[in-house]
Short mmCIF file of all heavy atoms in Angstrom, two decimals:
data_model
loop_
_atom_site.label_atom_id
_atom_site.label_comp_id
_atom_site.label_asym_id
_atom_site.label_seq_id
_atom_site.Cartn_x
_atom_site.Cartn_y
_atom_site.Cartn_z
N LEU A 217 2.74 11.52 -10.06
CA LEU A 217 2.26 12.84 -10.07
C LEU A 217 3.40 13.93 -10.23
O LEU A 217 3.19 14.92 -10.89
CB LEU A 217 1.34 13.08 -8.86
CG LEU A 217 0.07 12.39 -8.80
CD1 LEU A 217 -0.62 12.47 -7.51
CD2 LEU A 217 -0.88 12.94 -9.91
N ALA A 242 20.82 30.47 -40.80
CA ALA A 242 21.61 30.69 -42.05
C ALA A 242 23.11 30.55 -41.77
O ALA A 242 23.62 30.62 -40.73
CB ALA A 242 21.32 32.08 -42.63
N ARG A 285 28.80 28.43 -39.94
CA ARG A 285 28.86 27.50 -38.86
C ARG A 285 29.07 26.04 -39.34
O ARG A 285 29.47 25.24 -38.59
CB ARG A 285 27.54 27.56 -38.10
CG ARG A 285 27.37 28.87 -37.34
CD ARG A 285 25.93 29.01 -36.69
NE ARG A 285 25.06 29.03 -37.77
CZ ARG A 285 23.72 29.11 -37.60
NH1 ARG A 285 23.24 29.08 -36.33
NH2 ARG A 285 22.85 29.15 -38.60
N ARG A 309 23.44 16.61 -38.84
CA ARG A 309 22.78 16.32 -37.58
C ARG A 309 21.29 16.73 -37.61
O ARG A 309 20.89 17.75 -37.14
CB ARG A 309 23.54 16.99 -36.39
CG ARG A 309 23.64 18.47 -36.41
CD ARG A 309 24.34 18.92 -35.16
NE ARG A 309 25.68 19.58 -35.46
CZ ARG A 309 25.75 20.86 -35.86
NH1 ARG A 309 24.71 21.61 -36.03
NH2 ARG A 309 26.96 21.34 -36.15
N ARG A 367 22.45 48.12 -48.70
CA ARG A 367 23.50 48.97 -48.24
C ARG A 367 24.01 49.90 -49.37
O ARG A 367 24.30 51.09 -49.15
CB ARG A 367 24.70 48.15 -47.72
CG ARG A 367 24.53 47.56 -46.44
CD ARG A 367 25.76 46.69 -46.05
NE ARG A 367 25.73 46.24 -44.69
CZ ARG A 367 26.11 45.06 -44.31
NH1 ARG A 367 26.60 44.15 -45.13
NH2 ARG A 367 26.10 44.70 -43.04
N LEU A 375 11.15 47.15 -60.63
CA LEU A 375 10.88 47.03 -59.20
C LEU A 375 9.76 46.04 -58.84
O LEU A 375 9.77 45.28 -58.00
CB LEU A 375 10.49 48.46 -58.69
CG LEU A 375 10.13 48.60 -57.23
CD1 LEU A 375 11.20 48.13 -56.34
CD2 LEU A 375 9.71 50.01 -56.88
N LYS A 399 18.16 38.35 -45.52
CA LYS A 399 18.77 39.24 -46.51
C LYS A 399 20.19 38.73 -46.87
O LYS A 399 20.68 39.03 -47.94
CB LYS A 399 18.87 40.65 -45.99
CG LYS A 399 17.57 41.34 -45.77
CD LYS A 399 17.71 42.71 -45.20
CE LYS A 399 16.29 43.26 -44.95
NZ LYS A 399 16.46 44.69 -44.48
N ALA A 429 7.64 35.84 -37.78
CA ALA A 429 8.47 36.80 -38.64
C ALA A 429 7.94 36.72 -40.12
O ALA A 429 8.30 37.62 -40.85
CB ALA A 429 9.89 36.53 -38.45
N PRO B 323 -1.77 13.32 -1.80
CA PRO B 323 -0.94 12.73 -2.94
C PRO B 323 -1.05 13.64 -4.17
O PRO B 323 -0.17 13.53 -5.05
CB PRO B 323 -1.59 11.37 -3.14
CG PRO B 323 -2.22 11.06 -1.89
CD PRO B 323 -2.65 12.29 -1.28
N THR B 351 10.62 41.40 -38.72
CA THR B 351 10.72 41.10 -40.15
C THR B 351 11.48 42.24 -40.69
O THR B 351 11.10 43.44 -40.68
CB THR B 351 9.26 41.12 -40.79
OG1 THR B 351 8.49 40.22 -39.99
CG2 THR B 351 9.30 40.73 -42.24
N THR B 352 12.66 41.91 -41.23
CA THR B 352 13.55 42.95 -41.64
C THR B 352 13.32 43.54 -43.06
O THR B 352 13.92 44.35 -43.51
CB THR B 352 15.03 42.44 -41.57
OG1 THR B 352 15.12 41.28 -42.30
CG2 THR B 352 15.44 42.21 -40.12
N LEU B 358 12.16 49.38 -50.26
CA LEU B 358 13.40 49.12 -50.91
C LEU B 358 14.52 49.94 -50.29
O LEU B 358 15.65 49.77 -50.61
CB LEU B 358 13.29 49.33 -52.43
CG LEU B 358 12.90 48.19 -53.18
CD1 LEU B 358 12.88 48.50 -54.63
CD2 LEU B 358 13.84 46.97 -53.06
N ASP B 361 16.78 49.83 -44.39
CA ASP B 361 15.89 49.78 -43.21
C ASP B 361 16.42 50.76 -42.16
O ASP B 361 17.61 50.96 -41.97
CB ASP B 361 15.92 48.38 -42.56
CG ASP B 361 15.06 47.38 -43.45
OD1 ASP B 361 14.28 47.86 -44.27
OD2 ASP B 361 15.26 46.25 -43.27
N GLU B 482 32.74 17.90 -35.38
CA GLU B 482 32.07 17.60 -36.70
C GLU B 482 32.83 18.33 -37.82
O GLU B 482 32.66 17.92 -38.96
CB GLU B 482 30.65 18.18 -36.67
CG GLU B 482 29.70 17.45 -35.76
CD GLU B 482 28.35 18.00 -35.80
OE1 GLU B 482 28.06 19.00 -36.41
OE2 GLU B 482 27.46 17.38 -35.12
N TYR B 602 25.19 30.29 -30.83
CA TYR B 602 25.12 29.60 -32.13
C TYR B 602 24.30 30.32 -33.23
O TYR B 602 23.45 29.70 -33.94
CB TYR B 602 24.69 28.14 -32.02
CG TYR B 602 25.11 27.24 -33.07
CD1 TYR B 602 26.41 27.08 -33.42
CD2 TYR B 602 24.18 26.57 -33.77
CE1 TYR B 602 26.80 26.29 -34.41
CE2 TYR B 602 24.58 25.73 -34.88
CZ TYR B 602 25.86 25.57 -35.21
OH TYR B 602 26.25 24.79 -36.24
N THR B 604 24.24 32.95 -36.39
CA THR B 604 25.07 33.51 -37.42
C THR B 604 25.30 35.00 -37.25
O THR B 604 26.41 35.46 -37.42
CB THR B 604 24.48 33.25 -38.77
OG1 THR B 604 24.67 31.86 -39.09
CG2 THR B 604 25.13 34.08 -39.82
N GLU B 624 26.36 52.63 -42.01
CA GLU B 624 25.89 51.67 -41.07
C GLU B 624 26.85 51.66 -39.83
O GLU B 624 26.36 51.60 -38.69
CB GLU B 624 25.84 50.32 -41.70
CG GLU B 624 25.16 49.27 -40.97
CD GLU B 624 25.00 48.04 -41.76
OE1 GLU B 624 24.83 48.02 -42.98
OE2 GLU B 624 25.13 46.95 -41.17
#
Side-chain angles (χ1 to χ4, degrees):
Chain A
L217 287 171
R285 292 171 298 176
R309 58 179 116 84
R367 281 177 175 144
L375 179 60
K399 295 178 184 185
Chain B
T351 306
T352 51
L358 271 178
D361 286 343
E482 293 180 355
Y602 202 57
T604 287
E624 190 176 323

